[in-house]
Amino acid sequence: MTVGVWILGDQLWENQAALNRIDDKSSLPIILIECWQHVQQRRYHQQKLVLIWSAMRHFAKELRGGGWQVTYTKSEDFEAPLKAWIQVHNITEVRVMAPNDRPFLQIVHNLRLPCKTTLIPNNQFLWTETEFKDWASSRKRLLMEDFYRASRQRFQVLMDSSNKPIGGKWNFDKENRQPPKGKLDTPKPLWFEPDTITQEVIAQVKSLSFPTYGKIEPFRWAVTREQAMQVLDNFIAQCLPAFGPYQDAMVTGEETMWHSLLSPYLNIGLLHPLEVIQAAETAYLEKNLNLNGVEGFIRQILGWREYIRGMYFYVDADYFEKNWFNHTQPLPEFFWDASKTDMNCLRQVLTQVEGSAYAHHIQRLMILSNFGLIAGISPQELEKWFHSAFVDAYDWVMQTNVLGMGLFADGGVLASKPYAASANYINKMSDYCGGCKFDRTVRSGENACPFNFFYWDFLARHRDKLQSIGRMSFILLNLDKMPPAELATIRQKAAEWHLGSQ
């Protein structure tokens, strides 16, 4: 009996479950496959392709250096190289760590291989699918905050000797929402120059014959575990001490602020969530950092990231087609070309995404998703764009995040209210409105900000549904106070915008 291990492109970790059960490295055949057919399913950002393929090639090199027997191949599909590899090594069982995404799990199930295929339980997350289901099945509500508290207790993170949260509160979010004021002394992100392997991948991606998205250079992402660890160390030393207050702030020319830039590396296995959480907690204890910032960061990893992944496998398959508001507007062309919008906030964020495949969480939620929600864009179309555009995007990341959190397409399974906002929020939390041709204070005039008239149109269109959500009652009272003539003008303007954009 000969066992072989197939390593997927987002499982680049030497301690991953399919590898760490093997004692004799030299006798274990390993294969990694660059599949061109697979990456043609979406118009992926070129930097996403470079990151994955370069990280895969570097990981294969590291494995060979560690004594592993590695086959690295490029192919139109997965099945042909797997069959050839199985034949060469007389493999009787192919082991693969369970994929993080449902579609890839189906790909594995559909393979017609001449030997046994075994899925090894995934260990890239802190909660297994079974553990999350056990937690969720006994609850009437599935709010992230409840899950986060259970996670803190289970893993004893930021807990005192009495098993109570350090600082007396579970959540310090109110202290982490300060608007940007004056000149912010932001830290410089840690970027890397492409080495020979990465340069070869860049050349390959440039030569692809199928459509892609975004600018490929400058490419500055980490592509090895060693580099990813340097990014983690840099975040802990340079960013985490001041991470808290301006987590939600958006500033022109400040693409990264104090954000960690760790999600691409967590999502492909170069970093493990527990080591990231422990590094932040250790820094808090040893350096006396502000608790609000450390707690806020840990909540993103231990709370939201684990929750989103758990929910992704917990919900039924029809979740991903949900459209509670029945939004059907097509995705505007400017999502693919930022120069085609005059809205400065959208142009700033989308230009940033084109250049780096990255935007921080509030840019994603309160600019991109917010616009999609209030403008009535199809949730599935917008989710597909998110999946294509971001360097850290995967099915498990974007489906529940975009459909549930960003667009409320699930009717409130994940979020307690829709994250809909007018230009007031954008003006408060950014400097984008100052450089815009539209007037943030006007909701129905000639130069009215589209975020304003779409916001009020959204509330009017869905008043009946929204009134069932307790947290929306105060906002709906403001809608009811609006003069009918003005509301009619607002709704007409929203309709005309859609007609003009098609």
Side-chain angles (χ1 to χ4, degrees):
M1 177 177 175
T2 301
V3 172
V5 170
W6 176 22
I7 296 177
L8 307 184
D10 59 350
Q11 301 178 349
L12 309 179
W13 179 38
E14 194 165 352
N15 287 321
Q16 64 125 293
L19 283 180
N20 66 13
R21 301 183 178 198
I22 306 298
D23 294 326
D24 186 1
K25 296 180 179 181
S26 61
S27 65
L28 176 73
I30 294 173
I31 188 168
L32 293 92
I33 306 169
E34 286 181 22
C35 178
W36 300 326
Q37 189 180 76
H38 184 64
V39 300
Q40 292 180 60
Q41 295 177 354
R42 288 180 172 82
R43 188 180 165 188
Y44 282 111
H45 201 296
Q46 293 183 87
Q47 295 203 24
K48 170 73 171 294
L49 298 179
V50 175
L51 171 67
I52 298 303
W53 287 344
S54 179
M56 287 174 66
R57 295 182 192 187
H58 279 93
F59 187 58
K61 181 180 178 180
E62 290 171 10
L63 288 176
R64 290 190 187 107
W68 299 92
Q69 184 184 167
V70 181
T71 298
Y72 194 99
T73 186
K74 308 168 191 175
S75 174
E76 285 291 330
D77 62 15
F78 290 111
E79 192 165 292
L82 284 169
K83 285 181 175 178
W85 171 67
I86 288 167
Q87 184 176 8
V88 167
H89 295 281
N90 296 314
I91 292 170
T92 54
E93 179 188 3
V94 173
R95 293 180 184 174
V96 56
M97 186 166 75
N100 296 323
D101 291 347
R102 287 177 180 234
F104 209 100
L105 182 61
Q106 194 59 49
I107 288 175
V108 175
H109 285 316
N110 291 342
L111 290 172
R112 296 165 297 177
L113 301 181
C115 68
K116 178 182 178 182
T117 301
T118 302
L119 289 174
I120 307 299
N122 192 299
N123 66 342
Q124 277 183 248
F125 297 85
L126 300 180
W127 289 73
T128 67
E129 294 171 38
T130 300
E131 290 167 342
F132 186 90
K133 288 176 181 178
D134 289 343
W135 173 83
S137 61
S138 63
R139 310 188 66 83
K140 293 182 179 179
R141 66 177 192 175
L142 298 175
L143 296 183
M144 192 283 288
E145 183 66 27
D146 296 338
F147 173 77
Y148 171 57
R149 295 181 183 188
S151 296
R152 290 266 299 271
Q153 292 175 317
R154 176 183 173 186
F155 295 99
Q156 287 297 293
V157 175
L158 295 180
M159 302 294 293
D160 64 21
S161 58
S162 302
N163 203 33
K164 294 181 179 179
I166 289 176
K169 295 192 300 183
W170 293 100
N171 188 315
F172 292 84
D173 209 22
K174 290 182 179 180
E175 299 176 32
N176 296 331
R177 294 172 176 167
Q178 292 186 26
K181 295 179 180 179
K183 181 174 174 56
L184 300 177
D185 185 19
T186 57
K188 291 183 179 180
L190 179 61
W191 297 117
F192 301 89
E193 289 295 320
D195 63 8
T196 302
I197 291 177
T198 302
Q199 289 172 354
E200 291 172 353
V201 176
I202 289 173
Q204 176 178 309
V205 173
K206 284 181 177 180
S207 70
L208 295 175
S209 60
F210 49 83
T212 54
Y213 167 67
K215 297 177 180 179
I216 197 169
E217 293 172 312
F219 180 87
R220 303 172 295 179
W221 296 99
V223 292
T224 67
R225 171 164 171 81
E226 180 182 359
Q227 289 179 339
M229 287 298 297
Q230 291 177 38
V231 177
L232 172 60
D233 292 342
N234 183 72
F235 168 71
I236 297 297
Q238 304 299 326
C239 306
L240 186 58
F243 174 74
Y246 300 109
Q247 284 183 43
D248 292 2
M250 299 172 282
V251 179
T252 303
E254 294 283 358
E255 297 185 355
T256 58
M257 304 288 283
W258 285 270
H259 294 280
S260 71
L261 307 180
L262 296 175
S263 57
Y265 316 127
L266 283 163
N267 292 356
I268 62 174
L270 296 183
L271 295 175
H272 190 273
L274 187 58
E275 68 183 336
V276 173
I277 292 164
Q278 289 176 340
E281 184 178 34
T282 299
Y284 164 73
L285 295 172
E286 294 181 354
K287 299 180 181 180
N288 195 31
L289 302 184
N290 291 328
L291 180 57
N292 61 298
V294 175
E295 184 278 318
F297 172 71
I298 287 177
R299 180 157 24 95
Q300 292 180 1
I301 310 294
L302 181 60
W304 190 250
R305 184 176 185 272
E306 291 286 326
Y307 171 77
I308 281 293
R309 195 263 182 172
M311 288 294 293
Y312 172 79
F313 280 105
Y314 180 75
V315 298
D316 294 331
D318 66 352
Y319 178 94
F320 310 114
E321 298 302 321
K322 288 188 180 297
N323 190 350
W324 197 62
F325 291 118
N326 194 30
H327 284 168
T328 58
Q329 292 292 340
L331 186 74
E333 191 175 351
F334 60 70
F335 272 82
W336 296 109
D337 183 353
S339 68
K340 294 185 176 180
T341 180
D342 290 328
M343 287 174 274
N344 189 48
C345 58
L346 280 164
R347 189 172 64 249
Q348 291 289 340
V349 176
L350 290 168
T351 299
Q352 178 181 322
V353 176
E354 286 179 10
S356 65
Y358 171 81
H360 70 67
H361 68 284
I362 294 299
Q363 292 173 315
R364 300 188 199 198
L365 178 64
M366 299 308 299
I367 302 294
L368 302 176
S369 293
N370 179 24
F371 182 81
L373 172 63
I374 61 179
I377 295 171
S378 160
Q380 283 68 38
E381 278 204 40
L382 189 56
E383 187 280 329
K384 288 176 183 176
W385 177 84
F386 266 90
H387 194 152
S388 300
F390 284 96
V391 70
D392 55 4
Y394 295 88
D395 202 62
W396 72 267
V397 179
M398 290 306 175
Q399 289 281 3
T400 36
N401 255 316
V402 177
L403 299 181
M405 182 73 168
L407 301 176
F408 207 76
D410 63 6
V413 176
L414 265 74
S416 57
K417 74 174 183 66
Y419 280 85
S422 68
N424 284 337
Y425 176 89
I426 298 170
N427 182 61
K428 175 185 176 183
M429 297 306 300
S430 79
D431 64 354
Y432 296 152
C433 295
C436 190
K437 66 170 284 187
F438 297 105
D439 191 336
R440 64 175 177 80
T441 66
V442 177
R443 58 191 183 189
S444 61
E446 181 179 349
N447 292 323
C449 174
F451 274 88
N452 286 341
F453 60 73
F454 274 134
Y455 174 72
W456 293 103
D457 179 63
F458 165 76
L459 296 178
R461 287 198 321 270
H462 301 299
R463 195 193 190 291
D464 290 345
K465 282 194 169 185
L466 294 172
Q467 68 183 3
S468 66
I469 303 171
R471 295 182 67 188
M472 297 297 295
S473 57
F474 178 77
I475 295 170
L476 292 176
L477 286 175
N478 291 332
L479 174 68
D480 294 339
K481 295 175 183 177
M482 184 179 295
E486 183 181 8
L487 182 58
T489 301
I490 286 173
R491 303 209 62 190
Q492 179 63 29
K493 197 164 183 66
E496 291 173 351
W497 191 95
H498 282 303
L499 290 172
S501 67
Q502 297 177 26

